[in-house]
Amino acid sequence: MPASHSLSHFFNTSDPADLDSCDREKIHLIGTIQPFGALLLIDADSGTVAGVSENIAELWDIDPDVLLGMLLRKLDADLARQVEGAKQDRGMLHSVLEYDLERNGTLYDFVVHSHAGRQIVEIIPNHGGAAKQVRAKMRICSSACARIIHAEDFDASLKIAVDAVREITGYSRAKIYRFHEDWSGEVIAESSDGVLPSYLGLCFPATDIPKPVRELYSIVPYRAIGTVSGEPVRVRCLASESAELDLTGSILRAVSNMHITYLQNIGVSSSFSTALKHQGKLWGLIAIHNDTPEMIPFDSWTLIQEIGTALMLRHAQQQRTDTADMISRLRQIESLFSASLRRNGNIEEVISNLIPVLREFLGADGFAFQFGVNLHTSGRTPPPDFIRKLIKWATTRPGGSDQYQTISLQKEWPLAAEHADTACGVLIQPIVVHRVCQLIWFRGPVTRTVHWAGEPKKVRDSEGRLTPRTSFETWTQEHDDQSIPWNAAELQSAREIFTEFLDIMASQLLLKEENENLRSFAYSAAHDLKAPLRGINMALEWMSEDGFDPEAVRETHALAQKSSEKLSELAEGLLELVVLDNQVLVRKPVDLSKVVADVQDLLAGLLRSERAEITVCDLPVIESNEQMMQRMFLNLIANALKYRHPDRPPVIGISSILHDDGVLEVSVEDNGLGVDKKFAHKIFEPMERVTVQTYIEGAGLGLAVCQKVAHKHGGTIALDLARQEDGSRFVIRIPQDVQYLHG
C-alpha cells in the first residue's frame, strides 16, 4: 500500500473545525488488533521483525520479546521467502500467501500488505471448510453476478445481491446501504433469517458512519469485525520504530470503543462490510451482521466484492439506459424546434414556445433561460433579480463545477430562504455558445416522510463528546425543506441539452441583437456626423457667397477647422470601436501602476493647466492587454478633466481591491460634475453625451471604448449610482488571478 494511501492524509488535509469528535479519532493509529488473529511487522529491506502482536505465542511457541529484532527467515525460511515475494504484487492491496499453518484444529491465512517501507503480515483464522465448500461459494457468487447483470431492473439486482451474500457468509442479516448527498443513508435492500431486526427502508444519520471511516473505505474497501467482545491485542514494536504504527491497510485493526458500543447497542456480535463505488465515489455499502462472533474467511471477502462490483455495473448500466432514453427524447425536441425555426424564422417566438417544453422535460416547477442580458422564464420561478444573483453566486462559489445542483438551496445559501417556495431545488447548467448562457430549473419543496432507525440527533456526554445512539426503534419525521432530487439521467441530460440546436438558436439571438445594435449605432453615427459636415458646408457657402474674398475666407476658416477637427475625432473614435471589436485579446502580465503613470505622462500638460490632483493607491499586476488598459484609463482620466466642476480643481482617485471570488475591482472617482441617475443607462452607448453643459466638446465615444475594453477582458464597467452630485465613480470588475506588488 503506497504511503499516500494512508488515513493520515485525511487528517492532514481536513480542517479540524469541520470535524466532530468522532471525526477526529485517528482510528488507523490505534496500535492494537482484534484478538482472534496475530500480526507481524517486517522491515522490507532487512527482513527484520520490527513489530509483533503480543499474542504471537499462541501461534508460535516464541516470546514476542525474543521475536522482536529477529530475522524472519530464522523463524521460518519459507514464510520469509513468500513475504519477500509478495513485494512483487504491486497491483494488489493484500496478497494471500501459500503458507500453511494449523493450530488447535484451525487453519490460518497469511495476508500481506506493504506500507512506508514495512510489510504487515496478518494471520487470520479460516473457518471456510473444505475445498468443496469453497467451490460451492464460488458457484453462488458466479451465478449471482450473472443474474444481477441481467436482472429486469436494479431493485431486482439488489435483492439477488443480498440473498447471495447472506448465503455465502451464513450471517444473520445482509443489507445494501446507500448514501444520500448529505452522507446520511438508507437501507434499500435486505436479506435476513429473522434473528436480527429488519432495517429495510430505514434511514441512518451521517454521524453513524464518521468521515474518517468513509474515507477509509476509499483506501481499503472492506472491513471485518470478528467479535465485539474480548480485549484488543497491543502491537509491540522495536524502539527504533519511533513513528506511530499506521494500520490503515490492516484487516485486523482493532475497533474503536465508540463503534464497539454502537454494534452492541444494535445487537450485533460480528460484522463485515464492503464499499460500493460508482464513478470513483463511495455510493454505499454491503453490510452484513451476525448475532454471534464469527470471522468470515478472507477468500469469501473477494466473493462479496465481486458481487458488489456486479451490482455497481448493473447500476451504471441502468443509469446509461435511463440517460439514453432522455437523450433520445431530447433529440426529438431539438428536431421539432429546429424545424419550427426554419419555418418561422422568429427566434423570440421559437424561444417562447421552447421554454415551457424545457421546464417539463426535467419535471421542474419553473425554468429560466439567460442569454446575455435577456432572461426568459416559464412556470413558478423566483424574481429575475434573484435569478441573476443566484447565477453569480453559483458560478463564483469556491470549488464549483460547471454544473450546480441542490435539493435544498436555502441550506447552502441562506440568502435564498425567502424564495424557498420556488427555488428549493435548483439545477444550473451553463452552456458556452457564442457567449455563456445559463439554463436554470427550479423545484419547490415537497413534504416527505422519513423513517429513521432511531431519532437521528447527536447524543453527547457530559464533556460534549458524541456517544453511540442507544435506540434504533423506528422514528418518523416529516419535513418540507427539500425538493425532489435530480437523478443522474436528468443531470446528464442537462449537460447534453441542445448541443447542436442551441448553437443555432444562440446564433440567431446574437445576430438579432447585433443587427439591433448596428441599426442603433448607424442612426447615432449618421446623426452626429451631420453636425460637423453642416459646419464645413456652411463655411464653404459663406466663402462662395463672398466670392472667396481673402478676408471672408479668414473669417470662416475657424468654423471650418473646428468642424473638421470634430469630424476627425468622430472618425477616429468610430475606427477605434471597430478595431476593438475585431482585436484578439492577447494577455500578458501588465503592471496597472505603470499604465496609470504612463497615462499621466501623456496628459501632463492638461493636468498642470487644470491644477488636477491624482491619487493612485497600490495597483496590481494582472494578465491583460497593456494598450487596451492604457486606452481605458486615458479615457476615464480625460473625462474627469473634461467634466470638471467649474468651482474646484479636479481631484481624481484610483484604487483597487481583490474580492474573495477572484474578481479585481478598480475604481476611478472624481469630484466633477457627476452624472444624473436618469442618464446612467445611456452613458456607455456610442455617440451618447448626456451632459447639459453644451460648451463641453466631445464625441461621446470614450466610455463606449472603456466598456469594449472591459468586455474584452471578460469584465464589466459601471457607474456607481450613489455618486451623482459630488462627482462620478466608475467601477471596473475584471475576473482573474492577481498578484499585488505592494503589500
Side-chain angles (χ1 to χ4, degrees):
M1 185 180 70
S4 60
H5 290 171
S6 168
L7 194 59
S8 292
H9 179 74
F10 167 80
F11 292 102
N12 293 337
T13 56
S14 297
D15 184 351
D18 296 333
L19 303 180
D20 220 321
S21 58
C22 289
D23 297 333
R24 297 192 186 101
E25 186 178 6
K26 297 184 178 181
I27 53 179
H28 64 308
L29 303 179
I30 197 167
T32 56
I33 64 170
Q34 298 178 58
F36 53 82
L39 180 145
L40 295 172
L41 179 67
I42 311 299
D43 182 272
D45 293 329
S46 66
T48 302
V49 177
V52 60
S53 61
E54 293 182 339
N55 63 347
I56 195 67
E58 297 176 11
L59 298 178
W60 278 292
D61 295 326
I62 186 169
D63 188 270
D65 290 331
V66 175
L67 190 54
L68 275 175
M70 178 188 293
L71 290 171
L72 183 61
R73 68 172 180 268
K74 289 188 176 181
L75 174 68
D76 191 302
D78 183 34
L79 176 61
R81 179 182 57 78
Q82 292 197 40
V83 170
E84 174 70 20
K87 289 193 293 186
Q88 308 305 316
D89 294 335
R90 298 184 183 276
M92 297 287 291
L93 177 60
H94 293 105
S95 298
V96 183
L97 304 182
E98 294 293 333
Y99 185 82
D100 295 323
L101 177 68
E102 184 175 346
R103 190 78 171 185
N104 299 324
T106 300
L107 291 172
Y108 286 86
D109 288 328
F110 283 67
V111 184
V112 185
H113 76 277
S114 300
H115 178 64
R118 299 288 183 266
Q119 287 180 284
I120 298 177
V121 182
E122 298 182 84
I123 308 162
I124 61 174
N126 186 337
H127 301 292
K132 182 178 180 181
Q133 293 173 299
V134 174
R135 288 195 296 270
K137 292 179 180 179
M138 293 176 66
R139 285 194 295 271
I140 294 170
C141 173
S142 178
S143 172
C145 289
R147 288 186 294 128
I148 285 170
I149 293 297
H150 296 99
E152 181 180 354
D153 54 41
F154 188 59
D155 287 341
S157 296
L158 292 169
K159 182 58 177 169
I160 294 169
V162 289
D163 285 344
V165 166
R166 198 169 70 80
E167 187 176 0
I168 289 171
T169 62
Y171 268 31
S172 296
R173 181 180 63 207
K175 61 183 183 180
I176 305 293
Y177 182 84
R178 179 171 185 176
F179 288 107
H180 297 152
E181 285 294 325
D182 62 356
W183 292 111
S184 63
E186 179 181 358
V187 178
I188 59 174
E190 186 179 85
S191 179
S192 175
D193 62 6
V195 174
L196 293 175
S198 172
Y199 288 146
L200 182 62
L202 299 187
C203 296
F204 292 76
T207 50
D208 279 14
I209 304 179
K211 291 179 183 178
V213 177
R214 299 196 298 264
E215 181 70 19
L216 199 52
Y217 276 117
S218 69
I219 304 171
V220 183
Y222 33 62
R223 174 64 162 149
I225 299 173
T227 180
V228 296
S229 59
E231 289 297 318
V233 179
R234 189 167 71 92
V235 178
R236 194 181 303 176
C237 296
L238 291 173
S240 59
E241 295 288 314
S242 56
E244 294 176 301
L245 178 61
D246 190 328
L247 294 177
T248 296
S250 170
I251 58 179
L252 283 176
R253 176 173 46 83
V255 189
S256 70
N257 291 331
M258 175 77 78
H259 192 46
I260 286 288
T261 305
Y262 183 90
L263 291 174
Q264 290 172 340
N265 289 348
I266 62 174
V268 169
S269 295
S270 55
S271 73
F272 176 85
S273 53
T274 188
L276 297 173
K277 289 186 177 181
H278 177 61
Q279 296 180 343
K281 180 182 177 181
L282 186 61
W283 180 90
L285 301 171
I286 296 179
I288 320 162
H289 295 146
N290 206 34
D291 60 322
T292 59
E294 185 176 344
M295 185 65 177
I296 297 174
F298 187 76
D299 50 22
S300 292
W301 297 19
T302 305
L303 300 180
I304 298 170
Q305 273 195 290
E306 288 183 8
I307 290 173
T309 299
L311 192 62
M312 289 294 92
L313 287 173
R314 181 66 182 87
H315 175 62
Q317 181 188 73
Q318 185 70 55
Q319 283 200 342
R320 287 194 297 270
T321 300
D322 293 343
T323 301
D325 289 343
M326 289 199 71
I327 298 299
S328 176
R329 289 169 47 206
L330 189 59
R331 298 300 175 237
Q332 292 175 8
I333 294 172
E334 285 187 23
S335 297
L336 289 173
F337 279 91
S338 183
S340 176
L341 183 60
R342 288 194 299 270
R343 287 195 310 270
N344 191 325
N346 187 331
I347 185 63
E348 296 291 346
E349 186 175 328
V350 170
I351 289 176
S352 66
N353 293 329
L354 172 64
I355 298 305
V357 175
L358 286 182
R359 173 177 61 81
E360 294 171 4
F361 177 66
L362 290 193
D365 300 314
F367 176 76
F369 170 49
Q370 183 194 47
F371 183 84
V373 297
N374 298 316
L375 185 68
H376 306 267
T377 62
S378 172
R380 297 182 65 246
T381 65
D385 286 348
F386 173 80
I387 295 176
R388 292 187 173 93
K389 290 178 183 176
L390 168 63
I391 293 170
K392 182 178 179 181
W393 172 81
T395 54
T396 58
R397 73 194 193 287
S401 65
D402 69 316
Q403 185 184 71
Y404 172 75
Q405 60 97 5
T406 181
I407 60 172
S408 189
L409 178 63
Q410 66 276 11
K411 289 184 180 179
E412 299 184 33
W413 189 35
L415 291 177
E418 63 177 306
H419 298 293
D421 59 330
T422 55
C424 183
V426 172
L427 170 57
I428 302 177
Q429 179 62 58
I431 295 180
V432 180
V433 282
H434 297 279
R435 62 185 63 174
V436 176
C437 64
Q438 307 283 347
L439 308 175
I440 311 105
W441 288 267
F442 297 97
R443 284 176 178 168
V446 294
T447 301
R448 297 179 62 208
T449 301
V450 181
H451 301 290
W452 296 94
E455 189 173 354
K457 66 180 181 180
K458 297 179 179 180
V459 181
R460 300 183 183 272
D461 60 18
S462 58
E463 297 181 5
R465 295 172 299 194
L466 282 177
T467 60
R469 296 188 295 127
T470 56
S471 172
F472 295 87
E473 294 294 324
T474 302
W475 188 83
T476 302
Q477 179 188 36
E478 284 195 356
H479 63 81
D480 58 358
D481 59 351
Q482 294 181 353
S483 73
I484 297 172
W486 308 96
N487 63 45
E490 291 170 337
L491 297 177
Q492 186 58 35
S493 295
R495 287 191 174 94
E496 294 280 338
I497 214 158
F498 297 125
T499 50
E500 296 178 4
F501 175 62
L502 188 59
D503 188 67
I504 298 170
M505 189 170 70
S507 299
Q508 294 292 322
L509 282 170
L510 190 63
L511 181 61
K512 181 175 183 291
E513 181 181 307
E514 289 180 345
N515 284 340
E516 289 175 353
N517 290 339
L518 182 60
R519 281 194 294 270
S520 175
F521 180 74
Y523 174 80
S524 298
H527 179 271
D528 281 38
L529 288 170
K530 285 180 180 178
L533 285 173
R534 278 196 300 268
I536 294 172
N537 287 333
M538 190 178 299
L540 291 173
E541 287 176 5
W542 289 347
M543 292 179 194
S544 177
E545 289 175 1
D546 293 333
F548 296 100
D549 179 72
E551 186 63 28
V553 170
R554 279 195 298 272
E555 289 178 0
T556 56
H557 177 268
L559 173 62
Q561 185 175 37
K562 183 177 181 180
S563 296
S564 175
E565 289 172 354
K566 174 72 172 177
L567 188 61
S568 177
E569 182 183 355
L570 281 169
E572 287 178 6
L574 292 171
L575 180 60
E576 185 174 13
L577 279 176
V578 173
V579 169
L580 276 173
D581 261 336
N582 294 282
Q583 186 173 353
V584 177
L585 177 65
V586 178
R587 294 178 185 266
K588 293 181 179 179
V590 175
D591 184 349
L592 292 186
S593 295
K594 180 179 180 302
V595 168
V596 173
D598 290 344
V599 169
Q600 287 180 261
D601 289 342
L602 290 171
L603 297 174
L606 188 57
L607 289 169
R608 281 195 300 272
S609 66
E610 297 289 354
R611 294 182 296 117
E613 175 187 339
I614 296 186
T615 302
V616 183
C617 296
D618 291 341
L619 297 176
V621 171
I622 67 172
E623 291 290 324
S624 64
N625 179 284
E626 184 172 3
Q627 289 181 333
M628 290 186 187
M629 285 292 138
Q630 188 179 85
R631 172 54 63 185
M632 181 161 61
F633 282 108
L634 185 65
N635 283 339
L636 290 173
I637 294 174
N639 268 8
L641 298 175
K642 183 184 296 184
Y643 297 103
R644 57 163 293 181
H645 196 284
D647 299 333
R648 52 182 181 253
V651 176
I652 304 166
I654 303 175
S655 60
S656 70
I657 183 173
L658 178 62
H659 293 284
D660 292 340
D661 58 5
V663 173
L664 173 69
E665 182 176 292
V666 180
S667 65
V668 180
E669 53 187 315
D670 61 59
N671 65 340
L673 293 169
V675 179
D676 195 309
K677 280 186 178 181
K678 65 183 179 181
F679 298 128
H681 66 288
K682 290 186 174 183
I683 59 174
F684 294 103
E685 295 178 11
M687 323 297 288
E688 286 288 347
R689 298 182 68 248
V690 297
T691 178
V692 296
Q693 283 74 19
T694 56
Y695 60 86
I696 299 177
E697 295 292 336
L701 291 166
L703 289 179
V705 168
C706 292
Q707 186 178 64
K708 287 284 185 186
V709 171
H711 287 177
K712 278 284 184 180
H713 286 79
T716 60
I717 181 171
L719 176 70
D720 183 354
L721 296 180
R723 294 284 299 273
Q724 53 177 323
E725 294 180 355
D726 57 348
S728 301
R729 179 174 180 264
F730 290 91
V731 179
I732 307 139
R733 292 173 59 86
I734 300 177
Q736 65 173 252
D737 296 329
V738 180
Q739 177 186 357
Y740 278 87
L741 298 180
H742 314 287

